[in-house]
Amino acid sequence: MRARALAAVPLLALLAACGGGAESAEPTGTVLDPPFEVSSTPLVDTDGAAFSLADDTDKDLTLVFFGYTSCPDICGQVMATLAGTLTRFDEEQKERLDVVFVTTDPARDDEAVTEDYVSAFDPSIIGLTGELDDIVEVGESLAVGIDKGDKLPSGGYDVTHGTRVYAIDSDDQAPMMWDHDVSQAQLARDVTMLLDEG
């Protein structure tokens, strides 16, 4: 009997180490309560057509990231995470999910540049550009600060953008967001949880 009890201890330890506890059900992302209400102001997709994050996102869930194509660091990291996360889903899950990249530098990121950028990560990712004022308005509805900064000595200019990924649900609300350093596995688990709830 004692031998059986001792043999069970390593098994229990193994189960605990594998995340079998209740805390594994907690999302990695930040739950937004109340959720953000997404602006319906239309932007422009890579075909030149109007695209609203509220009116034209008809999937169960849409993941949105604001960045710009010449960003030297965080944008590429986040886009690679989003593309890698998509590979973790089966076809049924992919049918219920969109991923959208919104440029915060529309002066340089026109439709063609934005299309090339998103396609390099995953052809299914939707790229949006448009008028800066419209992008700022949509960003503000998700608490994303966007600003074209002062001119640099080189002749260029600084661009600010958010570093988070936002989930938009079928009610045009953003119930969750993730920091830029979220892993593919963490994001995929949270998205699966949101899809299961939908």
Side-chain angles (χ1 to χ4, degrees):
M1 189 76 168
R2 177 175 163 75
R4 274 193 206 153
L6 288 173
V9 170
L11 180 60
L12 288 171
L14 183 61
L15 287 172
C18 289
E23 65 182 4
S24 65
E26 291 297 315
T28 301
T30 301
V31 175
L32 300 170
D33 187 17
F36 294 143
E37 294 280 346
V38 182
S39 169
S40 62
T41 298
L43 303 178
V44 179
D45 69 16
T46 55
D47 292 324
F51 189 103
S52 163
L53 287 180
D55 300 334
D56 296 305
T57 50
D58 46 13
K59 300 279 182 82
D60 291 335
L61 202 65
T62 302
L63 301 181
V64 181
F65 174 66
F66 289 76
Y68 61 105
T69 66
S70 57
C71 173
D73 41 41
I74 288 175
C75 298
Q77 173 190 332
V78 173
M79 291 296 289
T81 297
L82 288 168
T85 299
L86 285 172
T87 67
R88 294 171 175 262
F89 298 127
D90 60 34
E91 289 307 312
E92 184 181 343
Q93 289 172 309
K94 287 180 184 177
E95 284 295 317
R96 300 175 59 200
L97 178 70
D98 270 334
V99 175
V100 176
F101 167 81
V102 182
T103 183
T104 59
D105 186 12
R108 289 184 285 205
D109 295 345
D110 61 13
E111 290 96 325
V113 172
T114 303
E115 171 67 20
D116 288 346
Y117 183 73
V118 296
S119 294
F121 290 99
D122 188 297
S124 71
I125 296 175
I126 298 165
L128 299 181
T129 184
E131 296 296 324
L132 182 60
D133 288 346
D134 292 339
I135 293 169
V136 168
E137 182 179 332
V138 174
E140 284 177 347
S141 73
L142 295 167
V144 178
I146 300 166
D147 180 44
K148 185 172 121 177
D150 297 331
K151 242 183 164 177
L152 301 173
S154 63
Y157 52 87
D158 280 325
V159 178
T160 62
H161 61 90
T163 59
R164 294 187 169 119
V165 174
Y166 297 85
I168 299 175
D169 63 22
S170 56
D171 294 323
D172 304 326
Q173 296 182 329
M176 191 176 292
M177 65 183 182
W178 297 267
D179 288 330
H180 71 276
D181 56 356
V182 65
S183 72
Q184 295 176 23
Q186 290 169 330
L187 185 56
R189 190 174 71 89
D190 284 0
V191 168
T192 299
M193 192 185 308
L194 289 170
L195 290 173
D196 287 347
E197 290 171 359

